[in-house]
Amino acid sequence: MARGRLRIYLGAAPGVGKTYSMLAEGQRRRSRGTDVVIGVVEPHGRRLTAAMAEALEEVPRRTCDYRQTRFTEMDLDAVLARNPQVALVDELAHTNVPGCRNAKRWQDVEELLDAGIDVVTTLNIQHLESLNDVVRQITGVTQHETLPDSVARAAEQVELVDMTPEALRRRMVHGNVYPPDRIEAALTHYFRPGNLTALRELALLWLADRVEEGLQRYRAEHGIGTGWETRERILVALSGGPEGETLVRRAARIAERTRGAHLLAVHVLPCDGLAERNDLALAGQRALVESLGGRYCQVVGSDVAEAVIEFARAENTTQIVLGSSRRAWPMSALTGEGVGARVTRLSGPIDVHIVTHEHAAGPPKLRLPRAGGRASLRRHLAGAALAVLALAGLTATGLQGRYTLPSVLLCYLPAVVAVAAVAGFSLAMATALAGALCAGYLYAAVTGAGDLVAMAAFVAVATLVSWAIDRTGRHARRAARASAEASALSALAGAAWGRPDLAAQLEQIRQLFGLRAVSLLYRQPAGGTAQRWQVMASAGERPPEQPGEADTSVPAGPALTLAGRGRALSDSDQRVLVACAAQIAIGQERQELAAHAADADQRIVTDRAQTVALLAAQRELQAPLQHLQETLGRLATPESSDAGQRRELAAVGQASLARLDAVITDLHHLGQARAGALDIHLRPVELDAILPAVLDDLGPGGHDIVVDAPEDLPDVITDANLLTRAVTTLAANALERSPDHTPATMTVTAQPEHLTITIVDHGGQQPPAEPGRPATAAAGEPIDLDPARSLPVSTARALIEAIGGAAQCHATPGGGLTVTATLPRTARP
């Protein structure tokens, strides 16, 4: 039986419409004659979602009792027995009630797929295991319902259900996502605009990576080696020279000119490590690349040009940026084709930019030839060819007719040294013996003890020189190895002390050791001897999902393992890999500590905000509640039998209730403004229409405020309803604070770029300031009011700032408070 196909509707957050899209897909398939059933759907009280589900057949759920509570779950056996063509299963990451056959709903889906049933499901990006720590850093909430990334990556189709943060928050305010009692808390915490924007970016990037994986898989399966310009990828090759920053900035400018272009930088580490490299300059260039939004990589290669081209093709690069050579013409002519010329010749369809810089064609630098201890087969063959040619050439020149035997032996010595430098000690010794035999052959017969001593001395000197060169090569190889290890560990250590990116670190390790794929595995606690592994992050194609699938694996912590696939590593490579794993473990530990600290800070901020709200409610509600209590007490006494007195007490009670309603309204408006949940409509508004509305809202007390507004006021860019509410709140507060003999005033003035509304009261004592600030202020000096003890003014200020204005509080000369609201005005005709 063919395995069923999985389709996932992916969303950035709850409420974007995943379940609705899933049901719409079920309706569409049903209209084509496909047998579709609902395995489980969670409408969460959303009317439109429930209506979409009514026209589809739903398999009855099974009832489960757990801890004296009754739950319903998808009846997996009933769906399997029904055997539809397509099953709609909501919330893929859901955790089943204990007692069900599977612990997770995605495991139920796996059984449906194994039975040949196609499944359409929904998933939020925060439920992917690899993004769990990232989501926790963004939202401050730990997601306990997660599923392995491999489940989502195995889906045949993943469709993104997208919605802007502003639109989703409007849905929240209108009650289309959560019930009314949960809206305020959700908007203030999880559904903040920044959180939703970050989650949306995570969803888009994850889906883009999956599309890229599919493209690379297709190219590999069809043997397509040439790059496809699906997206511009600009690669800048860095040598560690002083021109690196110039090249990076030039490549960044090229990338900025193309929408969606990606910037890459690569530095090639030589296999022997003897090339000159400025680690400090490379560190600065890497920081510059990352600050410009690019990615820095290091690869190991014996040939710089071939390594750059191989990396460019692997990354599907479309353009390569190189610096012009720093070698002057005589040196470049002697050393042959440079890196830039070779990259250009090997690039094929990839465009190559050769960028000039101030360090181009500088003074030549002499370099010693690279020496190796134990040479490769290629170098052995080259050394053997050199030995044959040198010995044959020296033997054929007829030196015996013109020079003595010791002189002839000295002519053979440079050939032995050259062979030792190319191929090592063993072949140099063979060359020395062969040279002695050739010299002896030239003289036909060695006569005298002096000739024997000369030949023995030649062999001894050649042996010592070859041994010294071979020993130097071994030391150089060890030094190069140590340098490469230190470079890799320092790079990982630097990343660990910054903001570690697991995927980037694993990609660096994969490139450094030449592995096909690398995974960081987490051992989940499980009962018995069975071990469950979870992929925290990976790099490369088909990364191992457990240590048994890897060619090499090392521990990276108590429950972490670094696993690689591609080749078995030597003992020295294994030792370096252990050190790399330790650095990654340090980075993870620091990240967890930082997350705990961030959680603690968030809790402190939340607790303070809650304390402020409680203090505000306590202060503002205390007086009207006390008046209401006294009024009710007096109404209950026998002395209150007089009808006039009862009417008077009823009026006092109604005023107290009105005050209570105003305080609750202020709290609600303040919460909406600070959560960004206000429905704002900015447009040109005549202030002449706002002021009468404010006076009407003030009621009879509005006649006591003195309004000074010139004629022909310009229009302001604002929300009429919110501005009316804010000015009314400030005016009511000023009226309440002002004594009878000194009424509150409201003055409107027009400025070239804005319009100001100034409300002044003469209440004498100023409202309390924030803790730690002076309790009083000089006339005209700004005051930072304590929101816990000046709720009306804080509410009005938040509303004015929400509609694009600004509000400041000053001390009124002679005592009192002056509030100045500044609003943008329309452009002059």
Side-chain angles (χ1 to χ4, degrees):
M1 181 180 299
R3 179 177 168 84
R5 292 171 296 180
L6 177 63
R7 179 170 184 168
I8 298 177
Y9 284 96
L10 179 69
V16 296
K18 302 179 301 298
T19 303
Y20 188 90
S21 299
M22 178 189 71
L23 293 172
E25 175 65 15
Q27 296 273 22
R28 186 181 65 83
R29 296 196 184 191
R30 177 176 172 272
S31 65
R32 296 186 311 181
T34 306
D35 184 13
V36 180
V37 301
I38 295 177
V40 60
V41 164
E42 303 291 349
H44 297 291
R46 299 164 191 165
R47 180 175 51 82
L48 295 178
T49 303
M52 286 290 292
E54 289 178 356
L56 295 171
E57 176 187 351
E58 182 173 4
V59 176
R61 301 190 188 187
R62 59 171 297 190
T63 302
C64 306
D65 293 327
Y66 179 67
R67 292 184 178 179
Q68 300 179 349
T69 305
R70 178 157 295 183
F71 301 90
T72 60
E73 294 287 357
M74 181 178 71
D75 193 337
L76 177 60
D77 293 328
V79 177
L80 291 173
R82 173 64 174 75
N83 194 25
Q85 291 177 284
V86 179
L88 307 181
V89 180
D90 204 5
E91 296 184 359
L92 184 60
H94 171 76
T95 301
N96 292 330
V97 176
C100 296
R101 184 161 66 198
N102 296 313
K104 297 285 187 177
R105 185 168 290 171
W106 64 265
Q107 295 171 328
D108 295 340
V109 169
E110 288 292 322
E111 291 196 30
L112 295 177
L113 296 174
D114 291 337
I117 301 173
D118 294 345
V119 176
V120 182
T121 185
T122 62
L123 177 67
N124 281 330
I125 192 66
Q126 63 264 32
H127 294 301
L128 289 175
E129 186 61 50
S130 64
L131 300 176
N132 188 265
D133 56 341
V134 180
V135 173
R136 182 182 59 191
Q137 288 180 349
I138 294 171
T139 65
V141 178
T142 301
Q143 297 292 337
H144 298 288
E145 290 188 335
T146 59
L147 81 163
D149 286 40
S150 57
V151 177
R153 291 181 182 275
E156 184 183 39
Q157 287 181 294
V158 178
E159 182 173 337
L160 182 65
V161 182
D162 192 24
M163 181 176 290
T164 64
E166 294 78 9
L168 181 55
R169 288 173 61 84
R170 282 197 297 270
R171 292 197 67 200
M172 291 282 298
V173 173
H174 296 157
N176 295 331
V177 179
Y178 287 152
D181 58 335
R182 296 178 56 188
I183 293 176
E184 193 71 31
L187 290 173
T188 307
H189 296 89
Y190 193 88
F191 284 81
R192 294 196 298 265
N195 291 358
L196 296 178
T197 302
L199 293 174
R200 187 186 186 200
E201 183 178 9
L202 280 180
L204 292 171
L205 290 176
W206 187 88
L207 191 60
D209 289 341
R210 189 177 184 276
V211 172
E212 180 69 18
E213 290 175 4
L215 177 61
Q216 296 296 346
R217 190 183 309 113
Y218 177 85
R219 295 175 68 236
E221 291 173 353
H222 291 77
I224 301 173
T226 58
W228 283 5
E229 297 187 12
T230 54
R231 182 171 66 172
E232 288 288 343
R233 290 177 173 84
I234 316 300
L235 174 66
V236 53
L238 301 175
S239 64
E243 75 283 358
E245 293 188 1
T246 302
L247 301 183
V248 171
R249 291 190 175 94
R250 185 70 178 92
R253 290 196 296 272
I254 296 175
E256 287 175 358
R257 292 169 185 165
T258 305
R259 184 180 299 274
H262 187 46
L263 176 63
L264 297 169
V266 64
H267 172 69
V268 180
L269 291 170
C271 293
D272 53 16
L274 294 181
E276 296 181 2
R277 187 174 76 251
N278 190 335
D279 290 334
L280 185 60
L282 281 174
Q285 293 163 17
R286 173 177 184 169
L288 178 61
V289 170
E290 293 176 348
S291 68
L292 294 172
R295 179 163 59 94
Y296 176 89
C297 302
Q298 285 186 339
V299 297
V300 179
S302 58
D303 186 279
V304 175
E306 292 181 357
V308 170
I309 291 298
E310 183 179 352
F311 180 82
R313 289 173 178 166
E315 295 291 337
N316 200 20
T317 299
T318 57
Q319 302 182 54
I320 300 176
V321 176
L322 299 171
S324 57
S325 177
R326 297 195 303 269
R327 296 178 298 175
W329 176 80
M331 180 58 66
S332 60
L334 291 175
T335 55
E337 190 178 30
V339 173
R342 293 201 64 214
V343 169
T344 304
R345 179 168 54 84
L346 299 173
S347 62
I350 303 176
D351 297 336
V352 179
H353 303 270
I354 304 296
V355 179
T356 59
H357 50 87
E358 59 181 355
H359 304 282
K365 296 182 180 180
L366 296 176
R367 293 184 179 178
L368 295 175
R370 298 178 180 178
R374 185 167 299 174
S376 62
L377 177 61
R378 182 178 178 181
R379 297 182 67 179
H380 271 296
L381 294 176
L386 177 62
V388 171
L389 292 176
L391 294 178
L394 290 172
T395 304
T397 56
L399 296 175
Q400 73 279 8
R402 289 170 289 174
Y403 303 103
T404 61
L405 178 61
S407 300
V408 172
L409 290 173
L410 289 177
C411 294
Y412 280 94
L413 186 58
V416 176
V417 173
V419 172
V422 173
F425 177 72
S426 301
L427 193 56
M429 279 296 304
T431 305
L433 294 175
L437 293 176
C438 289
Y441 170 75
L442 290 177
Y443 282 87
V446 177
T447 59
D451 294 338
L452 292 175
V453 171
M455 295 180 65
F458 167 75
V459 173
V461 170
T463 301
L464 290 174
V465 172
S466 301
W467 176 81
I469 293 176
D470 183 74
R471 186 170 181 270
T472 302
R474 288 200 305 270
H475 287 173
R477 187 174 67 252
R478 291 172 183 171
R481 179 73 188 183
S483 176
E485 293 175 3
S487 177
L489 292 177
S490 64
L492 288 174
W497 285 101
R499 187 173 182 179
D501 184 348
L502 274 179
Q505 289 179 315
L506 295 181
E507 177 64 21
Q508 183 180 1
I509 292 175
R510 184 188 71 82
Q511 296 171 0
L512 184 65
F513 292 96
L515 298 174
R516 190 167 64 250
V518 177
S519 297
L520 183 63
L521 305 177
Y522 171 70
R523 185 178 66 250
Q524 297 178 337
T529 59
Q531 291 184 346
R532 296 177 56 191
W533 294 91
Q534 169 190 334
V535 179
M536 292 187 62
S538 62
E541 298 181 359
R542 296 191 306 112
E545 297 183 358
Q546 54 185 357
E549 300 176 0
D551 296 318
T552 183
S553 61
V554 296
L560 297 177
T561 296
L562 188 63
R565 174 185 288 169
R567 67 184 183 92
L569 300 182
S570 62
D571 293 340
S572 57
D573 287 341
Q574 194 88 357
R575 186 181 69 253
V576 180
L577 187 62
V578 170
C580 293
Q583 292 294 337
I584 289 180
I586 292 174
Q588 289 300 297
E589 183 177 356
R590 290 190 71 257
Q591 196 171 6
E592 291 180 1
L593 292 176
H596 291 320
D599 291 342
D601 293 341
Q602 182 64 34
R603 284 195 295 270
I604 292 173
V605 173
T606 303
D607 292 343
R608 186 178 184 278
Q610 292 175 349
T611 302
V612 167
L614 290 175
L615 288 174
Q618 177 185 0
R619 177 176 175 80
E620 297 295 335
L621 295 175
Q622 185 174 9
L625 283 175
Q626 184 176 359
H627 289 313
L628 186 60
Q629 185 177 8
E630 292 176 355
T631 301
L632 293 176
R634 295 178 61 185
L635 284 172
T637 60
E639 292 79 5
S640 61
S641 58
D642 182 72
Q645 187 176 7
R646 283 181 175 273
R647 285 194 298 270
E648 181 181 352
L649 292 176
V652 173
Q654 289 177 352
S656 299
L657 288 175
R659 180 57 182 161
L660 289 175
D661 181 70
V663 171
I664 295 173
T665 302
D666 285 343
L667 285 173
H668 177 67
H669 293 162
L670 180 61
Q672 280 189 318
R674 292 188 173 178
L678 292 171
D679 195 7
I680 300 174
H681 302 282
L682 298 179
R683 64 183 185 277
V685 175
E686 294 181 1
L687 201 61
D688 293 335
I690 298 293
L691 297 180
V694 171
L695 297 177
D696 290 342
D697 290 344
L698 290 174
H703 300 291
D704 296 333
I705 190 168
V706 179
V707 179
D708 181 10
E711 298 181 357
D712 299 329
L713 286 173
D715 294 348
V716 292
I717 307 298
T718 186
D719 184 297
N721 293 329
L722 296 181
L723 179 60
T724 302
R725 187 187 306 170
V727 176
T728 302
T729 301
L730 291 174
N733 181 72
L735 288 172
E736 182 181 354
R737 289 170 43 82
S738 295
D740 296 336
H741 62 278
T742 309
T745 62
M746 181 190 305
T747 305
V748 182
T749 57
Q751 304 295 332
E753 302 295 335
H754 58 270
L755 187 143
T756 59
I757 302 175
T758 304
I759 300 176
V760 181
D761 68 66
H762 303 275
Q765 184 179 3
Q766 297 169 359
E770 289 186 350
R773 297 185 180 272
T776 61
E781 182 180 346
I783 302 174
D784 291 318
L785 298 181
D786 182 4
R789 306 184 67 185
S790 57
L791 182 62
V793 180
S794 298
T795 302
R797 176 189 287 182
L799 292 175
I800 292 172
E801 292 174 350
I803 59 179
Q808 285 188 340
C809 299
H810 303 270
T812 303
L817 180 68
T818 298
V819 182
T820 302
T822 303
L823 300 169
R825 55 172 288 179
T826 56
R828 292 184 175 181

